[in-house]
């Protein structure tokens, strides 16, 4: 009777319940009853309105089986749910999905690892199903939280721990795929979700990386290994997440990376941080690269008070990021990158000098260590600036060159973009050196079509200004930057080191015909280049490297920019350098004087072979041969040795040891060169740069005799200095014989203006005007002292020269005032 009642009750139950009950066998080991499962599937497809009831009933049975630990029936229920999901795709499936997700949540909440993995696998299958219509009410907050927690599993059994972590990563991957394809996908990019997802992935990537770093580099994984390796699976999920990021949600995906690296102190050492941002830069869309760079710059600003090694680690990450972004589009970030880096360069110098000042008189290990760490920061900044700049297109690189050059502080001026007023002279010098080092890296490999593009006037003037400063390292950097910009055929390496080159043809110098634009550049700015080379040779702190770079500057100018007119100017410059060493108005040390003589010898030897005039080559070779026998300290191979015997004086040397202007003019004139200008001594121009460079006044370095007319025989040493005496002053203000002198002078001036080139006339006239202005200032500052006795005499003081007492009646003050 009882059995009959049960059968009757079963027959009265709803059909969907009977079909669901039939798929469960008596023994769960037998698995799902396939025939009854096919009936249930056919019924669900035929009557989709029953899907929500089927799902609710399956959920009820599964919840009961989970509580009773009947895990065999749980597996059967989840398998049935999966098959129903794959078979049904109507609009009425939405309520069924809610029941399905409720059952998955039940499995994930259980403490049984097998059930957690089972629920994850079912959710991943569901995530791969493309639904016909979006779900406006469904949220995945619980699944994000639960899968993220599974990624941090710390089970005592390593195998179970790995299994749960893999399930958590795959679950996050499923959530990402499901939400990105949903019209409400923006919810997954909210910060509360990204702050859970991203650190979970990074945690697994970093943990396994620690193991790999101990056992060596891992081999290329196969497909199966990727599924079993949490690090590789997490990296793939991280790449997929970033690849789906758009303009509006890029920052939300990147900010948690900084938080994770800060929390786990992964900036020092920063290998993992670098690898993370490489993944980021290669995974995101190229047009969004500037977002990442801006976030790194912002984080660098936020951590500017941290230890030097942390800042250096962040800058290293920035270097790797910009190295990738420079090949694509980075938009307006270019100047922001450089501006921020230069600001942190100043901050680093401030920290370094502040520590040094605070520990003055007590040098401790910690302080010296901190200073060296700040140097690491500074070198990282310079490397980043240089690498970033060298990877930019030429049009952007030229702008960056101008930008950096505008930041270089110049002593004596107050309006600077980069504030160094509180750093003092030492800090300003450090900033100057580091900015020039950065500029050196930016200009490396820069190949401009014309020299005007490489050295525009707004860039040339401030670049050459540091070459006048009393710091050999600054001058070296300026010359090296100049070489990068002038050398367009990679000849600099062949010219490295100052030496007498036996055969220049062996160097295989590459050169092109001088373009019209380059000729125009030398006409406008050639005198400026000559002037800085000339003044650079006069510095007392010059070492061998300075002379080597000066030689390279002359040689590269010859190769890249020299036509017939420039060759003559370069020879005049070389002879002027030789005369500088001989006359020695600046009281240079003997090493410097011999170094200049060696520089002139090396350069004229190179120039003579480049223009290949036999008579010119013969004269240069003869002088060099004579020097090698009688005065080897005039040659670079000898003077730049560690132990070289220097002469006591140069005034008693014979003329056979010197390069003579008349012989050079004679040899070049026979080959068609216009040698008239060789008779005009080279005199550098006076500019305002001399007053901004804190070097001795240029007026003290140039002879007071500034007449543009040729003076004595060119074979003689050039010494046109005229002593200022009272008789000379009388002649200057006396009208007797003035008319004849003026006629002769006008004739010679007219002749000179007819033959000399315009640039030479303009340069020397400007120099003459400046020096005559100084002469007049000295004369007008005459101080008249009362005569000590009634003899009617007085003492005249003009500038620094004192003259003997003269009768008062011989002074013609009205004429003096008129003059």
């Amino acid at each position: 009777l009882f059995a009959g009642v049960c059968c009757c009750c079963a027959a009265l139950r709803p059909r969907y319940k009977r079909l669901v009950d039939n798929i469960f066998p008596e023994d769960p080991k037998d698995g799902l009853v396939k025939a009854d499962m096919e009936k249930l599937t056919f019924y669900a497809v035929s009557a989709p309105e029953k899907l929500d009831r089927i799902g609710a009933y399956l959920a009820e049975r599964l919840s009961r089986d989970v509580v009773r630990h009947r895990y065999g029936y749980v597996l059967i229920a989840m398998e049935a749910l999966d098959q129903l999901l794959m078979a049904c795709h109507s609009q009425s499936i939405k309520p069924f999905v809610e029941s399905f997700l409720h059952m998955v949540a039940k499995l994930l909440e259980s403490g049984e690892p097998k059930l957690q993995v089972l629920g994850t696998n079912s959710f991943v299958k569901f995530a791969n199903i493309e639904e016909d219509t979006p779900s406006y009410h469904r949220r995945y907050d619980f699944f994000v939280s639960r899968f993220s927690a599974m990624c941090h599993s710390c089970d005592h059994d390593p195998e179970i721990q790995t299994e749960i972590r893999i399930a958590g990563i795959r679950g996050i991957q499923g959530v990402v795929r499901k939400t990105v394809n949903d019209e409400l996908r923006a919810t997954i990019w909210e910060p509360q979700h990204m702050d859970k997802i991203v650190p979970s992935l990074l945690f697994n990537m970093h943990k396994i990386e620690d193991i790999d770093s101990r056992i060596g580099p891992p081999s290329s994984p196969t497909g199966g290994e990727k599924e079993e390796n949490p690090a590789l699976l997490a990296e793939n999920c991280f790449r997929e997440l970033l690849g789906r990021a758009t303009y509006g949600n890029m920052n939300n995906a990147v900010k948690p990376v900084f938080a994770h690296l800060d929390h786990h102190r992964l900036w020092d050492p920063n290998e993992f941080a670098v690898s993370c941002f490489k993944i980021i830069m290669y995974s995101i869309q190229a047009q969004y690269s500037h977002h990442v760079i801006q976030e790194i710059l912002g984080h660098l600003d936020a951590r500017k008070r941290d230890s030097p090694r942390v800042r250096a680690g962040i800058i290293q990450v920035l270097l790797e990021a910009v190295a990738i972004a420079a090949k694509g589009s980075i938009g307006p970030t270019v100047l922001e990158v450089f501006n921020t880096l230069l600001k942190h360069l100043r901050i680093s110098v401030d920290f370094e000098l502040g520590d040094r000042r605070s520990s003055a008189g007590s040098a401790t290990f910690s302080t010296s260590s901190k200073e060296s760490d700040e140097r690491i920061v500074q070198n990282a900044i310079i490397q980043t600036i240089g690498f970033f700049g060298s990877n930019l297109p030429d049009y952007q690189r030229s702008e960056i060159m101008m930008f950096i050059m505008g930041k270089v502080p110049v002593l004596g001026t107050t309006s600077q973009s980069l504030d160094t007023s509180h750093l003092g002279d030492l800090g300003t010098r450090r900033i100057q050196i580091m900015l020039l080092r950065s500029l050196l890296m930016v200009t490396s490999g820069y190949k401009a079509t014309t020299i005007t593009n490489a050295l525009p006037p707004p860039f040339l003037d401030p670049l050459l200004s540091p070459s006048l400063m009393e710091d050999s390292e600054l001058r070296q950097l300026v010359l090296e930057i100049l070489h990068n910009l002038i050398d367009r055929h990679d000849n600099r390496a062949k010219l490295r080191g100052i030496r007498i080159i036996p055969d220049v043809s062996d160097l295989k110098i590459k050169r092109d015909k001088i373009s019209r634009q380059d000729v125009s550049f030398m006409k406008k700015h050639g005198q400026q280049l000559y002037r800085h080379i000339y003044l650079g040779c006069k510095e007392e702190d010059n070492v061998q490297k300075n002379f080597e770079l000066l030689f390279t500057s002359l040689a590269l100018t010859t190769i890249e920019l020299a036509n017939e007119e420039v060759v003559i100017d370069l020879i005049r410059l070389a002879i002027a350098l030789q005369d500088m060493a001989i006359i020695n108005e600046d009281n240079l040390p003997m090493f410097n004087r011999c170094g200049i003589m060696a520089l002139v010898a090396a350069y004229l030897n190179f120039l003579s072979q480049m223009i290949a005039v036999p008579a010119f080559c013969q004269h240069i070779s003869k002088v060099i041969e004579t020097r090698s026998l009688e005065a080897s300290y005039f040659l670079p191979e000898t003077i730049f040795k560690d132990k070289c015997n220097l002469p006591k004086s140069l005034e008693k040397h014979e003329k056979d040891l010197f390069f003579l202007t008349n012989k050079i003019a004679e040899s070049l004139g026979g080959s068609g060169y216009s040698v008239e200008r060789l008779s005009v001594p080279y005199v550098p121009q006076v500019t305002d740069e001399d007053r901004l460079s804190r070097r001795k006044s240029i007026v003290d370095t140039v002879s007071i005799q500034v007449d543009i007319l040729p003076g004595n025989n060119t074979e003689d040493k050039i010494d046109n200095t005229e002593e200022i005496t009272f008789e000379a002053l009388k002649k200057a203000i006396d009208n007797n014989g003035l008319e004849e002198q003026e006629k002769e002078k006008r004739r010679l001036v007219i002749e000179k203006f007819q033959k000399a080139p315009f640039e030479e006339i303009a340069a020397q006239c400007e120099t003459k005007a400046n020096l005559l202005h100084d002469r007049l200032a000295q004369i007008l500052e005459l101080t008249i002292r009362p005569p000590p006795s009634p003899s009617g005499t007085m003492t005249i003081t003009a500038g620094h020269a004192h003259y003997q007492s003269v009768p008062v009646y011989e002074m013609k003050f009205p004429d003096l005032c008129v003059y």
Side-chain angles (χ1 to χ4, degrees):
L1 179 63
F2 181 76
V5 172
C6 290
C7 291
C8 183
C9 291
L12 295 175
R13 298 181 66 192
R15 185 180 178 185
Y16 72 90
K17 287 188 177 181
R18 286 184 280 130
L19 292 174
V20 170
D21 291 337
N22 291 338
I23 65 174
F24 292 94
E26 293 182 4
D27 188 355
K29 295 181 180 179
D30 295 337
L32 182 68
V33 180
K34 295 182 179 180
D36 292 326
M37 186 65 213
E38 290 177 358
K39 295 179 182 179
L40 177 62
T41 303
F42 179 78
Y43 177 78
V45 172
S46 302
E49 66 277 3
K50 300 293 185 179
L51 270 174
D52 57 336
R53 300 181 184 182
I54 295 174
Y57 185 62
L58 276 172
E60 179 184 346
R61 289 204 52 155
L62 184 138
S63 299
R64 185 170 62 248
D65 293 335
V66 169
V67 173
R68 296 177 181 177
H69 300 285
R70 299 168 62 180
Y71 298 137
Y73 289 120
V74 172
L75 295 176
I76 294 173
M78 291 307 299
E79 185 178 356
L81 285 169
D82 293 340
Q83 291 189 23
L84 289 174
L85 277 175
M86 300 299 294
C88 303
H89 295 287
S90 62
Q91 293 183 356
S92 57
I93 200 175
K94 300 301 178 185
F96 177 77
V97 170
E98 298 301 324
S99 300
F100 168 78
L101 293 177
H102 176 70
M103 286 184 280
V104 171
K106 284 285 186 181
L107 296 179
L108 295 177
E109 286 178 338
S110 68
E112 185 65 31
K114 291 182 179 180
L115 296 184
Q116 293 179 359
V117 174
L118 177 64
T120 302
N121 293 336
S122 295
F123 182 84
V124 171
K125 292 178 183 178
F126 163 71
N128 292 328
I129 297 176
E130 293 185 6
E131 300 184 48
D132 297 333
T133 57
S135 176
Y136 295 100
H137 62 281
R138 190 185 308 155
R139 297 185 64 86
Y140 298 94
D141 299 13
F142 167 79
F143 295 99
V144 170
S145 300
R146 188 59 194 160
F147 289 137
S148 298
M150 292 170 63
C151 290
H152 293 83
S153 173
C154 296
D155 196 278
H156 298 293
D157 189 342
E159 293 184 0
I160 294 177
Q161 180 188 105
T162 302
E163 188 177 11
I164 295 177
R165 287 186 179 182
I166 291 176
I169 297 169
R170 294 180 66 241
I172 289 177
Q173 193 174 29
V175 172
V176 171
R177 290 176 179 176
K178 192 64 177 176
T179 53
V180 166
N181 292 330
D182 199 321
E183 289 187 5
L184 296 181
R185 58 186 178 275
T187 56
I188 197 63
W189 298 106
E190 293 177 358
Q192 64 265 27
H193 299 320
M194 288 291 105
D195 290 344
K196 297 174 184 176
I197 293 175
V198 174
S200 301
L201 299 177
L202 295 178
F203 173 78
N204 284 274
M205 292 165 59
H206 185 228
K207 285 296 181 182
I208 305 301
E209 182 173 299
D210 291 341
I211 300 175
D212 291 340
S213 62
R214 293 194 296 268
I215 64 176
S219 58
S220 300
T222 60
E225 290 176 345
K226 288 182 180 180
E227 293 294 329
E228 298 176 359
N229 191 334
L232 295 177
L233 186 61
E235 181 179 333
N236 290 336
C237 182
F238 189 49
R239 290 180 183 274
E240 184 176 350
L241 174 68
L242 294 168
R244 297 174 183 272
T246 59
Y247 181 86
N249 49 48
M250 176 60 62
N251 293 343
N252 291 340
V254 175
K255 285 182 178 179
V257 178
F258 293 104
H260 180 82
L261 297 175
D262 289 342
H263 180 71
H264 294 279
R265 300 179 181 178
L266 298 177
W267 295 112
D268 178 32
N270 67 338
E271 288 79 6
F272 179 72
V274 170
S275 65
C276 282
F277 278 91
K278 282 185 176 180
I279 292 173
I280 293 173
M281 296 303 294
Y282 282 117
S283 300
I284 63 176
Q285 300 180 44
Q287 63 267 29
Y288 303 148
S289 298
H290 63 280
H291 276 291
V292 180
I293 295 176
Q294 287 174 339
E295 289 295 325
I296 300 175
L297 293 173
H299 196 68
L300 181 60
D301 286 337
R303 304 297 298 269
K304 64 182 178 182
R305 297 292 178 183
D306 281 26
S307 66
R309 292 189 175 273
V310 170
R311 286 181 281 128
I314 299 175
I315 295 169
Q316 180 78 25
V317 168
L318 178 63
L319 171 62
E320 298 294 338
V322 299
I324 299 171
K327 300 175 183 177
S329 173
I330 54 177
T333 313
V334 177
L335 290 180
E336 183 181 353
V337 170
F338 286 98
N339 198 34
T340 302
L341 290 175
L342 294 178
K343 179 180 69 176
H344 283 275
L345 188 64
R346 181 190 58 78
I347 292 174
S348 178
V349 173
D350 193 12
F351 285 161
E352 179 186 358
L353 296 179
D355 295 335
R356 185 178 301 175
R357 287 190 294 266
S358 62
S359 61
S362 59
T364 60
F365 173 77
S366 60
T367 300
S368 61
S369 175
K370 193 169 184 180
E371 287 183 6
S372 63
D373 289 345
E374 290 295 345
R375 295 292 179 92
I376 295 175
V377 175
Q378 295 160 14
N379 291 331
I381 293 174
I382 292 171
Q383 187 180 8
T384 304
I385 290 174
F387 191 85
F388 189 20
S390 61
N391 282 278
L392 291 174
D394 287 345
Y395 72 93
Q396 279 188 327
R397 200 192 305 199
S398 60
E399 294 177 359
I400 294 304
M401 288 159 50
M402 298 281 292
F403 180 76
I404 297 176
M405 199 66 241
K407 296 288 186 178
V408 177
V410 178
L411 294 171
T413 60
T414 56
S415 57
Q416 291 298 328
S417 300
L418 197 63
D419 182 21
T420 60
S421 57
H422 65 287
L423 297 179
D425 290 352
L426 179 60
T428 301
R429 177 187 176 274
R430 290 277 299 151
I431 291 291
Q432 288 172 334
I433 289 177
M434 286 184 286
L435 288 179
L436 290 177
R437 284 176 56 194
S438 304
L439 188 59
L440 178 64
M441 295 190 66
V442 172
T443 57
S444 178
Y446 182 55
K447 297 291 188 298
T449 54
T450 63
I451 196 66
T452 306
N453 294 337
L455 291 170
F459 177 74
L460 179 63
D461 295 337
L463 173 64
L464 294 179
S465 294
S467 69
L468 300 178
M469 295 182 180
E470 294 180 338
D471 189 296
S472 61
E473 187 175 357
L474 281 173
R475 299 195 302 273
Q476 291 171 12
L477 289 171
V478 171
L479 290 175
E480 288 178 342
I481 294 169
L482 199 62
H483 298 168
N484 282 345
L485 298 174
I486 293 178
D487 184 20
R488 292 170 288 178
H489 296 86
D490 298 322
N491 292 312
R492 181 175 40 173
K494 305 170 185 177
L495 301 168
R496 185 172 293 124
I498 180 171
R499 63 196 186 281
I500 303 296
I501 304 174
D503 190 355
V504 174
S505 62
D506 292 340
L507 301 180
K508 297 181 180 179
I509 299 292
K510 297 179 182 178
R511 62 185 306 190
D512 293 330
K513 185 178 179 181
I514 308 301
S515 65
R516 184 178 301 174
Q517 293 87 347
D518 293 345
V519 172
S520 176
F521 174 85
M522 290 305 292
K523 286 184 178 180
K524 293 180 180 178
H525 306 288
Q527 294 295 330
Q528 198 172 357
L529 293 176
Y530 306 149
R531 171 178 182 271
H532 285 267
I533 293 175
Y534 179 87
L535 297 178
C537 292
K538 302 180 68 168
E539 299 295 342
E540 295 183 3
D541 61 340
N542 280 340
V543 295
Q544 179 179 350
K545 185 176 180 180
N546 290 88
F547 289 110
E548 290 178 353
L549 294 173
L550 289 166
F551 166 75
T552 305
S553 301
L554 290 168
L556 289 176
T557 304
T558 304
I559 295 171
E560 297 286 348
L561 303 170
N563 57 3
E564 181 178 324
E565 183 178 342
V566 174
V567 167
I568 297 298
D569 287 335
L570 290 171
I571 293 175
R572 292 176 57 239
L573 174 61
I575 297 300
L577 291 174
Q578 176 181 261
D579 293 334
M580 176 208 300
I582 297 172
I583 300 173
N584 196 25
E585 292 180 345
D586 299 281
N587 297 320
L588 295 174
M590 186 56 67
F591 170 79
N592 294 64
R593 297 172 69 185
C594 293
I596 294 173
M597 299 292 283
L599 167 65
V600 174
Y603 173 64
L604 289 181
N605 171 70
F606 175 82
L607 177 62
S608 63
Q609 297 186 56
M610 289 296 293
I611 64 177
V613 176
F616 184 35
C617 293
Q618 184 177 1
H619 172 63
I620 302 301
S621 299
K622 184 178 179 181
V623 174
I624 292 175
E625 184 179 354
T626 306
R627 287 186 178 185
S628 63
L629 297 175
E630 301 179 10
S632 60
Y633 41 77
F634 283 168
L635 299 177
E637 288 81 1
T638 302
I639 186 61
F640 295 123
K641 287 183 178 179
D642 294 335
K643 296 180 180 180
C644 175
N645 296 324
L646 299 175
K648 296 182 179 180
S649 65
L650 304 184
E651 286 71 16
K652 297 181 180 180
H653 285 83
E654 298 180 358
K655 295 179 180 179
D656 293 341
L657 296 176
F658 305 136
F659 302 102
L660 303 179
T661 306
N662 66 328
K663 297 241 178 122
I664 295 176
E666 181 181 349
S667 61
L668 293 179
S671 298
Y673 281 82
S674 178
V675 297
E676 290 82 3
R677 288 187 299 118
L678 285 177
S679 60
V680 181
Y682 171 76
V683 179
Q685 293 175 284
V686 182
T687 67
D688 292 336
E689 293 175 354
D690 305 292
R691 301 180 181 88
L692 299 179
S693 59
R694 285 195 176 180
R695 71 188 307 278
K696 51 193 170 184
S697 174
I698 187 66
V699 177
D700 297 333
T701 67
V702 181
S703 173
I704 295 180
Q705 175 61 36
V706 294
D707 202 309
I708 64 173
L709 302 176
N712 299 328
N713 193 319
T714 54
E715 293 187 17
D716 299 331
K717 292 176 291 186
I718 300 172
D719 188 4
N720 295 326
T721 304
E722 177 184 352
E723 184 181 2
I724 301 178
T725 64
F726 182 72
E727 294 297 329
L729 290 175
K730 284 184 62 179
K731 291 180 181 179
I733 62 177
D734 196 354
N735 292 328
N736 294 333
L738 182 61
E739 186 176 355
E740 293 182 2
Q741 294 178 9
E742 288 297 330
K743 286 182 179 180
E744 180 66 16
K745 182 177 289 188
R746 280 196 296 269
R747 185 186 66 81
L748 294 175
V749 168
I750 291 173
E751 181 181 351
K752 190 62 185 177
F753 270 75
Q754 289 175 345
K755 294 182 179 181
F758 173 76
E759 292 77 10
E760 181 66 25
I761 294 171
Q764 297 205 18
C765 284
E766 182 180 357
T767 304
K768 179 178 179 180
N770 292 334
L771 292 177
L772 285 178
H773 179 272
D774 295 338
R775 175 85 62 82
L776 284 173
Q778 289 180 346
I779 294 175
L780 294 177
E781 289 174 1
L782 290 174
T783 58
I784 304 177
R785 300 177 183 174
S789 62
S791 59
T793 63
M794 65 182 64
T795 300
I796 297 177
T797 303
H800 301 288
H802 297 272
Y803 304 104
Q804 60 184 358
S805 298
V806 296
V808 176
Y809 62 83
E810 290 187 16
M811 294 298 295
K812 298 181 180 180
F813 293 102
D815 294 338
L816 177 63
C817 294
V818 171
Y819 178 77

